[in-house]
Amino acid sequence: MAATELEIIIKARQDLAHRLGVGENDVTEGLVEPTDFPDAALGAPVEDEMSAQVITPGWRIRFKAAGETYEYRATQRQLRLVNFKGRNYRV
């Protein structure tokens, strides 16, 4: 089932709060912008992942927490955390 932009943002905020061990209110939304990604992995493949090389529309979502900025990339069907502690994650 496809998720709405708001549902994706909520899920990303919950995921980041959990990973950082902070409350959701400690994670503030920065920028949310529509973006075309270069591949089906949203330009953020996880280790050993292969993906279709096709332009994929979605959202770039940035949050601020604990003095740092974090980036998620999403479509209606997937959510990825980019370069968190040096790695990409599928959520």
Side-chain angles (χ1 to χ4, degrees):
M1 182 168 124
T4 67
E5 180 179 347
L6 180 58
E7 290 169 331
I8 292 288
I9 292 168
I10 291 168
K11 184 174 180 179
R13 176 179 276 120
Q14 290 170 340
D15 180 72
L16 184 57
H18 177 75
R19 288 178 193 273
L20 296 175
V22 299
E24 288 179 40
N25 291 335
D26 295 324
V27 177
T28 59
E29 187 176 316
L31 178 68
V32 177
E33 61 184 345
T35 304
D36 287 333
F37 297 105
D39 54 41
L42 312 182
V46 296
E47 189 173 337
D48 296 328
E49 179 181 37
M50 296 183 68
S51 64
Q53 300 299 298
V54 58
I55 300 297
T56 305
W59 302 281
R60 185 180 314 271
I61 305 163
R62 292 191 179 97
F63 292 104
K64 293 183 181 181
E68 299 288 331
T69 300
Y70 300 91
E71 181 178 322
Y72 283 81
R73 297 179 183 179
T75 67
Q76 291 180 320
R77 301 192 185 283
Q78 68 172 311
L79 178 62
R80 291 173 183 257
L81 174 56
V82 180
N83 198 23
F84 182 78
K85 298 183 180 179
R87 296 183 63 198
N88 297 327
Y89 295 88
R90 281 187 85 170
V91 178

